[in-house]
Amino acid sequence: MTHNEPFVAPQRSALRKAADTNVHPSTPTDSADLPAFNTGNTGDSVLRGKSEKTVAMEVQIPKSLRKRLRTRAGELDISVDELTSRILRDGLN
Amino acid sequence: MPTVAVLSMKGGVGKTTVTLGLASAALARRFRVLVIDLDPQGNSTMGLGVDSPVFTMNDVLADPRPGVAADALTDSSWDRLVQVLAADRALEHRNTVEGAHSSQRLRVALGGLPARYDLVLIDCPPSLGEMTRNALTAATSALIVTEPSYFALHGAEQALEAVDVIRATSNPALRTSTVVVNRARTTVADHRQRIGELREAYGSLVSETMVPERNAIPQAEGAGIPIHAWESPAGKELAGVFDSLLDQIAPALRVRPLGWMR
């Protein structure tokens, strides 16, 4: 390029591929990664599988977002921790 | 520009057939047409000869910034005058409420795009969920497709109620709907009875134009060509039907645009 030619920045598309483009719509996203039954127990016991070890994590988020998390968790009848884990798991998949 | 949402609660009644038929009629008059495929089955996308588009409506609605849909435009194989915002199966992910203004996502993402076209057609999925809410919120009018059958008429009734709900909430400008009967066989007594019921219930909302059941429709769709280019007596008959329907839903398109020979 010579100095006489105007510099034209290459145009990039504003649009990006959605994160779930390659995820089949039928793919379970909630607790499907947990075994439904603990097969090591007696036949008439329907138990949850071994839960993964949890750790504490402190993050700074807007107060309004915390309020929405609490409201949504209440609607789903689950804890805020569980809802946050689900959202993060989905977002990272 | 007329932006028409083509919908029905029931699947398989011919939403895509009507969408493609109207696009074909508008193209035959050399109007610019945009088809927005909101059905994850992607049948309009396939019918318009679009294969493996770079971006789809899933990408657009996952990130609905103002006007971003323009980046997802794809040319159809029919003609350069017909463009497509394509669907893929991942679009099913978007058929849920997302964010505070979920039903406005399509309208926002389209921005000023409809103004570039003479006619915009939105092919909805067979449900009254979030995709159809988005379509009706972005549309200027609704076209409800039904068959002359008991179940399909119930589906049409539900779709008409959905239009009323959207008009009362997110799109007060949404105009009165038109109901079109597809796969009509007036020689069948049951069909005549159902069509009569429909007219009795909805009067002038029911179009006088009915789409007859003809093999030319799946044949043209399979070949990926507009029905107006299907050279058979049935193809010509159907072309006339869709011309008439286009006159009804978009009266401004009765006259060919100046310079249509370009």
Side-chain angles (χ1 to χ4, degrees):
Chain A
M1 188 175 79
T2 69
H3 291 294
N4 295 330
E5 293 172 345
F7 173 72
V8 180
Q11 296 299 305
R12 290 183 300 171
S13 171
L15 194 55
R16 294 168 297 218
K17 290 303 291 178
D20 49 18
T21 296
N22 295 318
V23 179
H24 193 283
S26 299
T27 306
T29 54
D30 285 335
S31 56
D33 48 342
L34 298 174
F37 301 99
N38 186 341
T39 53
N41 287 279
T42 54
D44 58 353
S45 298
V46 180
L47 302 171
R48 290 179 66 86
K50 289 178 185 174
S51 58
E52 194 176 347
K53 184 184 175 186
T54 58
V55 292
M57 187 174 74
E58 188 175 313
V59 292
Q60 295 288 319
I61 62 172
K63 198 173 177 180
S64 60
L65 190 55
R66 185 179 67 178
K67 185 179 176 185
R68 286 176 61 191
L69 274 171
R70 285 175 172 166
T71 304
R72 186 70 181 134
E75 289 168 359
L76 297 171
D77 196 25
I78 58 175
S79 69
V80 172
D81 288 357
E82 171 65 15
L83 176 62
T84 307
S85 295
R86 286 188 190 183
I87 294 169
L88 286 172
R89 190 180 294 123
D90 287 351
L92 293 171
N93 279 341
Chain B
M1 294 305 119
T3 301
V4 183
V6 183
L7 71 149
S8 167
M9 187 171 183
K10 189 177 181 307
V13 294
K15 290 179 287 296
T16 299
T17 294
V18 170
T19 301
L20 296 181
L22 288 169
S24 175
L27 173 62
R29 297 177 195 179
R30 307 305 292 167
F31 283 108
R32 295 161 299 180
V33 185
L34 172 62
V35 175
I36 304 172
D37 194 352
L38 284 188
D39 187 344
Q41 295 179 86
N43 291 343
S44 278
T45 302
M46 288 186 267
L48 289 161
V50 175
D51 189 26
S52 304
V54 177
F55 292 116
T56 69
M57 285 307 297
N58 182 48
D59 307 312
V60 170
L61 296 176
D63 183 21
R65 284 169 288 150
V68 80
D71 287 345
L73 284 173
T74 307
D75 290 330
S76 76
S77 67
W78 285 12
D79 190 286
R80 63 186 174 85
L81 291 179
V82 180
Q83 291 193 300
V84 190
L85 287 171
D88 63 353
R89 72 178 184 196
L91 181 56
E92 190 68 48
H93 295 302
R94 305 278 82 78
N95 206 8
T96 56
V97 176
E98 293 182 308
H101 304 288
S102 181
S103 67
Q104 304 282 343
R105 283 176 289 169
L106 177 60
R107 177 189 272 180
V108 170
L110 287 175
L113 196 57
R116 293 195 211 165
Y117 299 89
D118 300 299
L119 177 65
V120 179
L121 297 162
I122 310 176
D123 189 10
C124 297
S127 76
L128 301 180
E130 201 58 12
M131 284 297 97
T132 300
R133 277 183 70 205
N134 268 268
L136 289 172
T137 302
T140 56
S141 65
L143 178 63
I144 292 158
V145 183
T146 187
E147 286 178 338
S149 72
Y150 180 76
F151 290 151
L153 261 53
H154 276 277
E157 186 180 2
Q158 299 284 329
L160 280 160
E161 286 174 9
V163 171
D164 288 340
V165 169
I166 296 298
R167 190 184 295 120
T169 53
S170 56
N171 187 4
L174 187 60
R175 288 208 312 271
T176 307
S177 315
T178 302
V179 181
V180 62
V181 179
N182 184 36
R183 293 201 192 96
R185 283 184 287 161
T186 50
T187 54
V188 177
D190 188 57
H191 281 203
R192 287 198 303 273
Q193 181 193 332
R194 299 302 175 197
I195 293 165
E197 287 172 0
L198 203 58
R199 291 196 195 288
E200 195 175 317
Y202 300 110
S204 61
L205 290 186
V206 184
S207 173
E208 291 292 331
T209 304
M210 294 186 287
V211 183
E213 187 169 34
R214 297 286 183 269
N215 283 340
I217 290 176
Q219 287 170 337
E221 288 172 353
I225 65 171
I227 194 68
H228 286 66
W230 193 254
E231 295 289 339
S232 75
K236 288 182 172 60
E237 177 194 11
L238 288 161
V241 166
F242 286 114
D243 285 343
S244 172
L245 192 58
L246 182 65
D247 287 344
Q248 202 175 329
I249 65 157
L253 303 190
R254 285 183 179 172
V255 182
R256 280 179 170 154
L258 290 173
W260 67 276
M261 293 281 284
R262 64 183 181 269

